[in-house]
Amino acid sequence: MAIDWDECAFEYDRCRQRITELLTDDDTAVVIPTCPEWTVADACAHLAGIPASLLAGDVPGADAQSWVDADIARRAGRTVISLLDEWADVTPAFQQMMAAGG
């Protein structure tokens, strides 16, 4: 079965919208129980960082964890809302990339 990249791009944005509706800056320092080493801000940095990095041509190498860690470190100290805004800003271009076949 072939991947429907248009559908993936659509659902990706729906997921981003739902997460955005749930969070506020009050959640910035909340620790995620299932990822106790990450705060909500760290998770949002990860979510914003993946598309931003990929769109910039920065793809993970063999050590994907260091790539993820670098995305989070570059966004350290930012609020949840600023991270969600960044994610929203890069989403249209990322959706185009996805719709073009990933």
Side-chain angles (χ1 to χ4, degrees), residues 5 10 88 99 101:
W5 288 108
F10 175 77

Side-chain angles (χ1 to χ4, degrees), residues 35-97:
C35 299
E37 294 181 16
W38 280 20
T39 64
V40 170
D42 294 334
C44 289
H46 174 60
L47 292 169
I50 290 172
S53 291
L54 293 174
L55 288 164
D58 177 14
V59 298
D63 183 6
Q65 188 60 54
S66 66
W67 181 75
V68 168
D69 293 343
D71 269 341
I72 294 169
R74 279 192 293 273
R75 291 164 176 80
R78 291 179 48 193
T79 65
V80 165
I81 297 302
S82 74
L83 294 163
L84 294 173
D85 287 346
E86 178 187 7
W87 192 17
D89 289 345
V90 299
T91 292
F94 191 62
Q95 285 182 282
Q96 289 177 349
M97 177 188 282

